[in-house]
Amino acid sequence: MRIVLMGPPGAGKGTQAKKLAEFFGVPQIATGDILRAAVQEGTPLGKKAKEYMDKGLLVPDDVMTGIVKERLQEKNTENGFILDGFPRTIPQAESLEKILEEMGVKLDAVVNIVVPRQELIERFAGRRVCEVCGSTYHIKYNPPQKEGICDKCGGKLITRADDDVRTVEKRIDVYERETKPLVDYYQRKNMLVNIDGNRPIETVFEDIKSRLRGEG
Ligand code: ADP
Ligand code: ADP
Ligand code: ZN
């Protein structure tokens, strides 16, 4: 299964990507997670990426394309992958097409998770992520069993630096301007699967699975 998950920041891409990756037995490739790991390690990539991420801006296309190309060539993507957070611009989508063509594979679908702006803002306010394994929680909609502690690995839950209201507003604006045109792009290629993301996590997950099986 080769899938791209699209949608505004906070739509639930990471949440659904993890569930889909587990269900299909393929890796989740989350460009945001890759960048945050580089920032933590203080690599040259991390230092460069941080400047953009802190402002809510997109990291340049050539940097992102290089990261994804390298990652897709690792062995465990043989049976597929769930791409979460890439592509985010038309040039990134065009590069992805070239990379996959070179690999001799095709995307099965582009899943577009649709959520109204006001609901997104609410989600950010409660988002907590595990600083160790990257698992995502919400203090109201998807709380951990023990407050502040990751269910999966016992790691500490933190609020992401770019989840403050001002940066979030900015990121949603950037999405509208630079990423939303991809909806039309993939629609024209007949690859788009629109999903109403404004429902409980399990309902959204079941809907994505059944749509990928071609039931509806
Ligand atoms: P969210 O899903 O909440 O928008 P991500 O974790 O996917 O957040 O991304 C966090 C930040 O990392 C983005 O705001 C952006 O700065 C950077 N980033 C992630 N993926 C990309 C990409 N494909 N192109 C450019 N920047 C990216
Ligand atoms: P994205 O990767 O698109 O930025 P996340 O998966 O990190 O989004 O989800 C954003 C926040 O909203 C998280 O706190 C998550 O637990 C919560 N969330 C995800 N999906 C839903 C949903 N269907 N209903 C309510 N809250 C959700
Ligand atoms: Zn964890």
Side-chain angles (χ1 to χ4, degrees), residues 8-15 123 127 136-138 141-142 197 199-201:
K13 298 182 297 295
T15 301
R123 286 190 187 182
R127 171 153 76 176
T136 306
Y137 299 85
H138 190 283
Y141 303 131
N142 183 25
R199 296 175 294 171
I201 292 171

Side-chain angles (χ1 to χ4, degrees), residues 130 132-135 137 150 152-155:
C130 173
V132 179
C133 75
S135 288
Y137 299 85
C150 177
K152 296 210 176 75
C153 78

Side-chain angles (χ1 to χ4, degrees), residues 99-114:
I99 295 168
L100 295 178
E101 208 173 279
E102 278 169 27
M103 293 169 66
V105 300
K106 275 200 166 78
L107 288 178
D108 291 293
V110 175
V111 174
N112 181 37
I113 307 179
V114 182

